[in-house]
Amino acid sequence: MKNHNLLLVDDDRQLLDSMAVWLREQGYSVFTAESCRQAREQIESHPLDLVLVDVRLNDGDGFEVLAWCRQHHPQLTVVLITGSIWA
């Protein structure tokens, strides 16, 4: 089985850590970031197969990460996630 590299981006450290532990248990290599800035740094530093990014971040939002990836790494798959419920 190929070892896939994932980046998780969320500003909730507890959620980020628990998701990373679970994904590592499933056999994935997981990198983490807590902000848009850190996400860009991780994307530039590691060969990634997938980015899972929260919609709401302290220094911006997941849409900014998505737009940056489309411009700089268009082959990279980005999935926006959220735990928020909007009314």
PDB file of all heavy atoms in Angstrom, residues 4 8 14 16 18 21-22 24 28-29 31 34 38 42 46 60-61 64-67 72 74 77 81 83 86-87:
ATOM      1  N   HIS A   4       0.250   7.552   1.752  1.00  0.00           N
ATOM      2  CA  HIS A   4      -0.214   8.858   1.295  1.00  0.00           C
ATOM      3  C   HIS A   4       0.126   9.935   2.316  1.00  0.00           C
ATOM      4  O   HIS A   4       0.033   9.719   3.517  1.00  0.00           O
ATOM      5  CB  HIS A   4      -1.725   8.833   1.048  1.00  0.00           C
ATOM      6  CG  HIS A   4      -2.102   7.946  -0.088  1.00  0.00           C
ATOM      7  ND1 HIS A   4      -1.923   8.296  -1.400  1.00  0.00           N
ATOM      8  CD2 HIS A   4      -2.629   6.712  -0.098  1.00  0.00           C
ATOM      9  CE1 HIS A   4      -2.333   7.334  -2.180  1.00  0.00           C
ATOM     10  NE2 HIS A   4      -2.763   6.345  -1.418  1.00  0.00           N
ATOM     11  N   LEU A   8      -3.439  18.307   7.406  1.00  0.00           N
ATOM     12  CA  LEU A   8      -4.645  18.728   8.113  1.00  0.00           C
ATOM     13  C   LEU A   8      -4.444  20.164   8.579  1.00  0.00           C
ATOM     14  O   LEU A   8      -3.410  20.477   9.174  1.00  0.00           O
ATOM     15  CB  LEU A   8      -4.886  17.867   9.347  1.00  0.00           C
ATOM     16  CG  LEU A   8      -5.234  16.411   9.129  1.00  0.00           C
ATOM     17  CD1 LEU A   8      -5.337  15.695  10.484  1.00  0.00           C
ATOM     18  CD2 LEU A   8      -6.530  16.284   8.374  1.00  0.00           C
ATOM     19  N   GLN A  14      -6.823  20.692  19.682  1.00  0.00           N
ATOM     20  CA  GLN A  14      -7.285  19.403  20.188  1.00  0.00           C
ATOM     21  C   GLN A  14      -7.888  18.561  19.058  1.00  0.00           C
ATOM     22  O   GLN A  14      -7.576  17.374  18.915  1.00  0.00           O
ATOM     23  CB  GLN A  14      -8.299  19.594  21.311  1.00  0.00           C
ATOM     24  CG  GLN A  14      -8.728  18.295  21.950  1.00  0.00           C
ATOM     25  CD  GLN A  14      -9.659  18.519  23.127  1.00  0.00           C
ATOM     26  OE1 GLN A  14     -10.039  19.645  23.441  1.00  0.00           O
ATOM     27  NE2 GLN A  14     -10.039  17.437  23.784  1.00  0.00           N
ATOM     28  N   LEU A  16      -7.333  18.969  15.826  1.00  0.00           N
ATOM     29  CA  LEU A  16      -6.242  18.704  14.885  1.00  0.00           C
ATOM     30  C   LEU A  16      -5.417  17.496  15.342  1.00  0.00           C
ATOM     31  O   LEU A  16      -5.142  16.584  14.556  1.00  0.00           O
ATOM     32  CB  LEU A  16      -5.355  19.945  14.781  1.00  0.00           C
ATOM     33  CG  LEU A  16      -4.273  19.953  13.723  1.00  0.00           C
ATOM     34  CD1 LEU A  16      -4.872  19.894  12.320  1.00  0.00           C
ATOM     35  CD2 LEU A  16      -3.415  21.199  13.880  1.00  0.00           C
ATOM     36  N   SER A  18      -6.287  15.062  17.469  1.00  0.00           N
ATOM     37  CA  SER A  18      -7.049  13.807  17.480  1.00  0.00           C
ATOM     38  C   SER A  18      -7.271  13.267  16.067  1.00  0.00           C
ATOM     39  O   SER A  18      -7.167  12.050  15.831  1.00  0.00           O
ATOM     40  CB  SER A  18      -8.382  13.965  18.219  1.00  0.00           C
ATOM     41  OG  SER A  18      -9.238  14.855  17.552  1.00  0.00           O
ATOM     42  N   VAL A  21      -3.878  11.756  14.889  1.00  0.00           N
ATOM     43  CA  VAL A  21      -3.619  10.451  15.501  1.00  0.00           C
ATOM     44  C   VAL A  21      -4.419   9.369  14.791  1.00  0.00           C
ATOM     45  O   VAL A  21      -3.887   8.317  14.427  1.00  0.00           O
ATOM     46  CB  VAL A  21      -3.938  10.473  17.016  1.00  0.00           C
ATOM     47  CG1 VAL A  21      -4.001   9.074  17.591  1.00  0.00           C
ATOM     48  CG2 VAL A  21      -2.920  11.309  17.758  1.00  0.00           C
ATOM     49  N   TRP A  22      -5.701   9.618  14.578  1.00  0.00           N
ATOM     50  CA  TRP A  22      -6.555   8.610  13.929  1.00  0.00           C
ATOM     51  C   TRP A  22      -6.072   8.311  12.512  1.00  0.00           C
ATOM     52  O   TRP A  22      -5.987   7.142  12.112  1.00  0.00           O
ATOM     53  CB  TRP A  22      -8.011   9.076  13.916  1.00  0.00           C
ATOM     54  CG  TRP A  22      -8.915   8.036  13.348  1.00  0.00           C
ATOM     55  CD1 TRP A  22      -9.402   6.940  13.994  1.00  0.00           C
ATOM     56  CD2 TRP A  22      -9.411   7.973  12.003  1.00  0.00           C
ATOM     57  NE1 TRP A  22     -10.176   6.195  13.128  1.00  0.00           N
ATOM     58  CE2 TRP A  22     -10.196   6.807  11.902  1.00  0.00           C
ATOM     59  CE3 TRP A  22      -9.260   8.789  10.892  1.00  0.00           C
ATOM     60  CZ2 TRP A  22     -10.832   6.441  10.722  1.00  0.00           C
ATOM     61  CZ3 TRP A  22      -9.897   8.427   9.718  1.00  0.00           C
ATOM     62  CH2 TRP A  22     -10.678   7.261   9.640  1.00  0.00           C
ATOM     63  N   ARG A  24      -3.071   8.688  11.274  1.00  0.00           N
ATOM     64  CA  ARG A  24      -1.799   7.960  11.335  1.00  0.00           C
ATOM     65  C   ARG A  24      -2.036   6.488  11.658  1.00  0.00           C
ATOM     66  O   ARG A  24      -1.357   5.620  11.117  1.00  0.00           O
ATOM     67  CB  ARG A  24      -0.870   8.610  12.360  1.00  0.00           C
ATOM     68  CG  ARG A  24      -0.306   9.927  11.881  1.00  0.00           C
ATOM     69  CD  ARG A  24       0.622  10.579  12.884  1.00  0.00           C
ATOM     70  NE  ARG A  24       1.097  11.848  12.370  1.00  0.00           N
ATOM     71  CZ  ARG A  24       0.913  13.017  12.985  1.00  0.00           C
ATOM     72  NH1 ARG A  24       0.311  13.087  14.161  1.00  0.00           N
ATOM     73  NH2 ARG A  24       1.367  14.126  12.421  1.00  0.00           N
ATOM     74  N   TYR A  28      -1.625   6.660   7.249  1.00  0.00           N
ATOM     75  CA  TYR A  28      -1.262   7.856   6.486  1.00  0.00           C
ATOM     76  C   TYR A  28      -0.126   8.607   7.174  1.00  0.00           C
ATOM     77  O   TYR A  28      -0.001   8.583   8.395  1.00  0.00           O
ATOM     78  CB  TYR A  28      -2.468   8.794   6.353  1.00  0.00           C
ATOM     79  CG  TYR A  28      -3.603   8.190   5.579  1.00  0.00           C
ATOM     80  CD1 TYR A  28      -4.690   7.635   6.236  1.00  0.00           C
ATOM     81  CD2 TYR A  28      -3.577   8.158   4.191  1.00  0.00           C
ATOM     82  CE1 TYR A  28      -5.734   7.065   5.521  1.00  0.00           C
ATOM     83  CE2 TYR A  28      -4.616   7.594   3.473  1.00  0.00           C
ATOM     84  CZ  TYR A  28      -5.689   7.046   4.149  1.00  0.00           C
ATOM     85  OH  TYR A  28      -6.709   6.481   3.437  1.00  0.00           O
ATOM     86  N   SER A  29       0.676   9.289   6.375  1.00  0.00           N
ATOM     87  CA  SER A  29       1.642  10.250   6.915  1.00  0.00           C
ATOM     88  C   SER A  29       0.897  11.576   7.006  1.00  0.00           C
ATOM     89  O   SER A  29       0.333  12.039   6.018  1.00  0.00           O
ATOM     90  CB  SER A  29       2.836  10.408   5.979  1.00  0.00           C
ATOM     91  OG  SER A  29       3.602   9.236   5.969  1.00  0.00           O
ATOM     92  N   PHE A  31       0.768  15.629   8.221  1.00  0.00           N
ATOM     93  CA  PHE A  31       1.367  16.892   8.628  1.00  0.00           C
ATOM     94  C   PHE A  31       0.223  17.779   9.111  1.00  0.00           C
ATOM     95  O   PHE A  31      -0.922  17.604   8.687  1.00  0.00           O
ATOM     96  CB  PHE A  31       2.092  17.549   7.452  1.00  0.00           C
ATOM     97  CG  PHE A  31       3.169  16.672   6.878  1.00  0.00           C
ATOM     98  CD1 PHE A  31       2.908  15.850   5.792  1.00  0.00           C
ATOM     99  CD2 PHE A  31       4.430  16.657   7.437  1.00  0.00           C
ATOM    100  CE1 PHE A  31       3.889  15.027   5.270  1.00  0.00           C
ATOM    101  CE2 PHE A  31       5.427  15.832   6.921  1.00  0.00           C
ATOM    102  CZ  PHE A  31       5.153  15.017   5.834  1.00  0.00           C
ATOM    103  N   GLU A  34      -1.965  25.056  11.789  1.00  0.00           N
ATOM    104  CA  GLU A  34      -3.027  25.725  12.534  1.00  0.00           C
ATOM    105  C   GLU A  34      -3.454  27.044  11.907  1.00  0.00           C
ATOM    106  O   GLU A  34      -4.289  27.745  12.474  1.00  0.00           O
ATOM    107  CB  GLU A  34      -2.576  25.979  13.975  1.00  0.00           C
ATOM    108  CG  GLU A  34      -2.366  24.712  14.771  1.00  0.00           C
ATOM    109  CD  GLU A  34      -1.969  24.996  16.204  1.00  0.00           C
ATOM    110  OE1 GLU A  34      -2.793  25.565  16.948  1.00  0.00           O
ATOM    111  OE2 GLU A  34      -0.830  24.671  16.573  1.00  0.00           O
ATOM    112  N   GLN A  38       0.825  28.714   8.048  1.00  0.00           N
ATOM    113  CA  GLN A  38       1.470  27.422   8.291  1.00  0.00           C
ATOM    114  C   GLN A  38       1.103  26.418   7.205  1.00  0.00           C
ATOM    115  O   GLN A  38       1.941  25.604   6.801  1.00  0.00           O
ATOM    116  CB  GLN A  38       1.067  26.869   9.653  1.00  0.00           C
ATOM    117  CG  GLN A  38       1.689  27.576  10.816  1.00  0.00           C
ATOM    118  CD  GLN A  38       1.248  26.999  12.147  1.00  0.00           C
ATOM    119  OE1 GLN A  38       0.463  26.055  12.212  1.00  0.00           O
ATOM    120  NE2 GLN A  38       1.737  27.582  13.226  1.00  0.00           N
ATOM    121  N   GLN A  42       3.753  24.314   4.950  1.00  0.00           N
ATOM    122  CA  GLN A  42       3.748  22.848   4.892  1.00  0.00           C
ATOM    123  C   GLN A  42       3.608  22.363   3.451  1.00  0.00           C
ATOM    124  O   GLN A  42       4.263  21.409   3.041  1.00  0.00           O
ATOM    125  CB  GLN A  42       2.626  22.264   5.760  1.00  0.00           C
ATOM    126  CG  GLN A  42       2.826  22.451   7.233  1.00  0.00           C
ATOM    127  CD  GLN A  42       3.849  21.496   7.823  1.00  0.00           C
ATOM    128  OE1 GLN A  42       4.825  21.111   7.198  1.00  0.00           O
ATOM    129  NE2 GLN A  42       3.602  21.083   9.060  1.00  0.00           N
ATOM    130  N   HIS A  46       6.531  19.806   1.790  1.00  0.00           N
ATOM    131  CA  HIS A  46       6.295  18.362   1.724  1.00  0.00           C
ATOM    132  C   HIS A  46       5.540  17.976   0.456  1.00  0.00           C
ATOM    133  O   HIS A  46       4.640  18.709   0.027  1.00  0.00           O
ATOM    134  CB  HIS A  46       5.469  17.905   2.933  1.00  0.00           C
ATOM    135  CG  HIS A  46       6.065  18.278   4.247  1.00  0.00           C
ATOM    136  ND1 HIS A  46       7.157  17.643   4.770  1.00  0.00           N
ATOM    137  CD2 HIS A  46       5.735  19.243   5.134  1.00  0.00           C
ATOM    138  CE1 HIS A  46       7.472  18.182   5.936  1.00  0.00           C
ATOM    139  NE2 HIS A  46       6.626  19.168   6.179  1.00  0.00           N
ATOM    140  N   GLY A  60      -7.557  33.642   8.542  1.00  0.00           N
ATOM    141  CA  GLY A  60      -8.201  33.629   7.227  1.00  0.00           C
ATOM    142  C   GLY A  60      -9.205  32.505   7.162  1.00  0.00           C
ATOM    143  O   GLY A  60      -9.852  32.200   8.159  1.00  0.00           O
ATOM    144  N   ASP A  61      -9.303  31.887   5.995  1.00  0.00           N
ATOM    145  CA  ASP A  61     -10.228  30.768   5.879  1.00  0.00           C
ATOM    146  C   ASP A  61      -9.720  29.743   4.875  1.00  0.00           C
ATOM    147  O   ASP A  61      -8.746  29.978   4.153  1.00  0.00           O
ATOM    148  CB  ASP A  61     -11.643  31.237   5.528  1.00  0.00           C
ATOM    149  CG  ASP A  61     -11.729  31.967   4.207  1.00  0.00           C
ATOM    150  OD1 ASP A  61     -11.096  31.527   3.231  1.00  0.00           O
ATOM    151  OD2 ASP A  61     -12.451  32.976   4.144  1.00  0.00           O
ATOM    152  N   GLU A  64      -9.170  30.628   1.204  1.00  0.00           N
ATOM    153  CA  GLU A  64      -7.902  31.264   0.850  1.00  0.00           C
ATOM    154  C   GLU A  64      -6.831  30.215   0.563  1.00  0.00           C
ATOM    155  O   GLU A  64      -6.055  30.349  -0.385  1.00  0.00           O
ATOM    156  CB  GLU A  64      -7.431  32.184   1.982  1.00  0.00           C
ATOM    157  CG  GLU A  64      -8.301  33.404   2.168  1.00  0.00           C
ATOM    158  CD  GLU A  64      -7.879  34.216   3.377  1.00  0.00           C
ATOM    159  OE1 GLU A  64      -6.649  34.354   3.609  1.00  0.00           O
ATOM    160  OE2 GLU A  64      -8.767  34.706   4.093  1.00  0.00           O
ATOM    161  N   VAL A  65      -6.802  29.164   1.378  1.00  0.00           N
ATOM    162  CA  VAL A  65      -5.852  28.075   1.158  1.00  0.00           C
ATOM    163  C   VAL A  65      -6.161  27.393  -0.168  1.00  0.00           C
ATOM    164  O   VAL A  65      -5.258  27.111  -0.969  1.00  0.00           O
ATOM    165  CB  VAL A  65      -5.878  27.064   2.324  1.00  0.00           C
ATOM    166  CG1 VAL A  65      -4.986  25.869   2.026  1.00  0.00           C
ATOM    167  CG2 VAL A  65      -5.473  27.727   3.637  1.00  0.00           C
ATOM    168  N   LEU A  66      -7.432  27.156  -0.433  1.00  0.00           N
ATOM    169  CA  LEU A  66      -7.840  26.543  -1.697  1.00  0.00           C
ATOM    170  C   LEU A  66      -7.401  27.394  -2.888  1.00  0.00           C
ATOM    171  O   LEU A  66      -6.805  26.881  -3.847  1.00  0.00           O
ATOM    172  CB  LEU A  66      -9.358  26.343  -1.723  1.00  0.00           C
ATOM    173  CG  LEU A  66      -9.956  25.842  -3.034  1.00  0.00           C
ATOM    174  CD1 LEU A  66      -9.424  24.467  -3.399  1.00  0.00           C
ATOM    175  CD2 LEU A  66     -11.483  25.835  -2.928  1.00  0.00           C
ATOM    176  N   ALA A  67      -7.660  28.683  -2.843  1.00  0.00           N
ATOM    177  CA  ALA A  67      -7.287  29.577  -3.943  1.00  0.00           C
ATOM    178  C   ALA A  67      -5.771  29.600  -4.138  1.00  0.00           C
ATOM    179  O   ALA A  67      -5.282  29.565  -5.272  1.00  0.00           O
ATOM    180  CB  ALA A  67      -7.813  30.982  -3.676  1.00  0.00           C
ATOM    181  N   HIS A  72      -0.752  27.892  -7.082  1.00  0.00           N
ATOM    182  CA  HIS A  72       0.628  27.430  -6.940  1.00  0.00           C
ATOM    183  C   HIS A  72       0.808  25.917  -7.086  1.00  0.00           C
ATOM    184  O   HIS A  72       1.910  25.470  -7.431  1.00  0.00           O
ATOM    185  CB  HIS A  72       1.190  27.882  -5.594  1.00  0.00           C
ATOM    186  CG  HIS A  72       1.299  29.358  -5.487  1.00  0.00           C
ATOM    187  ND1 HIS A  72       0.286  30.145  -4.976  1.00  0.00           N
ATOM    188  CD2 HIS A  72       2.280  30.214  -5.848  1.00  0.00           C
ATOM    189  CE1 HIS A  72       0.648  31.405  -5.018  1.00  0.00           C
ATOM    190  NE2 HIS A  72       1.860  31.483  -5.546  1.00  0.00           N
ATOM    191  N   PRO A  74      -1.786  23.382  -8.615  1.00  0.00           N
ATOM    192  CA  PRO A  74      -3.106  23.018  -9.141  1.00  0.00           C
ATOM    193  C   PRO A  74      -3.390  21.515  -9.158  1.00  0.00           C
ATOM    194  O   PRO A  74      -4.551  21.121  -9.185  1.00  0.00           O
ATOM    195  CB  PRO A  74      -3.100  23.594 -10.557  1.00  0.00           C
ATOM    196  CG  PRO A  74      -1.671  23.796 -10.896  1.00  0.00           C
ATOM    197  CD  PRO A  74      -0.955  24.053  -9.607  1.00  0.00           C
ATOM    198  N   THR A  77      -5.083  18.024  -4.433  1.00  0.00           N
ATOM    199  CA  THR A  77      -6.492  17.940  -4.048  1.00  0.00           C
ATOM    200  C   THR A  77      -6.692  18.606  -2.693  1.00  0.00           C
ATOM    201  O   THR A  77      -5.973  18.305  -1.733  1.00  0.00           O
ATOM    202  CB  THR A  77      -6.942  16.466  -3.972  1.00  0.00           C
ATOM    203  OG1 THR A  77      -6.756  15.868  -5.253  1.00  0.00           O
ATOM    204  CG2 THR A  77      -8.406  16.358  -3.567  1.00  0.00           C
ATOM    205  N   ILE A  81     -13.433  21.429   5.023  1.00  0.00           N
ATOM    206  CA  ILE A  81     -14.228  20.767   6.049  1.00  0.00           C
ATOM    207  C   ILE A  81     -14.661  21.802   7.068  1.00  0.00           C
ATOM    208  O   ILE A  81     -14.055  22.865   7.196  1.00  0.00           O
ATOM    209  CB  ILE A  81     -13.445  19.629   6.741  1.00  0.00           C
ATOM    210  CG1 ILE A  81     -12.140  20.157   7.384  1.00  0.00           C
ATOM    211  CG2 ILE A  81     -13.142  18.505   5.760  1.00  0.00           C
ATOM    212  CD1 ILE A  81     -11.379  19.134   8.177  1.00  0.00           C
ATOM    213  N   GLY A  83     -16.845  22.058  11.117  1.00  0.00           N
ATOM    214  CA  GLY A  83     -17.665  21.517  12.188  1.00  0.00           C
ATOM    215  C   GLY A  83     -18.758  22.513  12.571  1.00  0.00           C
ATOM    216  O   GLY A  83     -19.582  22.242  13.427  1.00  0.00           O
ATOM    217  N   TRP A  86     -24.141  26.568  10.112  1.00  0.00           N
ATOM    218  CA  TRP A  86     -24.621  27.909   9.787  1.00  0.00           C
ATOM    219  C   TRP A  86     -26.118  27.881   9.631  1.00  0.00           C
ATOM    220  O   TRP A  86     -26.675  27.031   8.965  1.00  0.00           O
ATOM    221  CB  TRP A  86     -23.977  28.402   8.490  1.00  0.00           C
ATOM    222  CG  TRP A  86     -22.490  28.577   8.612  1.00  0.00           C
ATOM    223  CD1 TRP A  86     -21.807  29.139   9.638  1.00  0.00           C
ATOM    224  CD2 TRP A  86     -21.509  28.196   7.665  1.00  0.00           C
ATOM    225  NE1 TRP A  86     -20.466  29.143   9.389  1.00  0.00           N
ATOM    226  CE2 TRP A  86     -20.252  28.570   8.182  1.00  0.00           C
ATOM    227  CE3 TRP A  86     -21.548  27.588   6.412  1.00  0.00           C
ATOM    228  CZ2 TRP A  86     -19.061  28.353   7.521  1.00  0.00           C
ATOM    229  CZ3 TRP A  86     -20.354  27.372   5.752  1.00  0.00           C
ATOM    230  CH2 TRP A  86     -19.141  27.749   6.297  1.00  0.00           C
ATOM    231  N   ALA A  87     -26.755  28.846  10.248  1.00  0.00           N
ATOM    232  CA  ALA A  87     -28.224  28.924  10.161  1.00  0.00           C
ATOM    233  C   ALA A  87     -28.647  29.777   8.987  1.00  0.00           C
ATOM    234  O   ALA A  87     -27.977  30.630   8.516  1.00  0.00           O
ATOM    235  CB  ALA A  87     -28.783  29.492  11.449  1.00  0.00           C
TER     236      ALA A  87
END
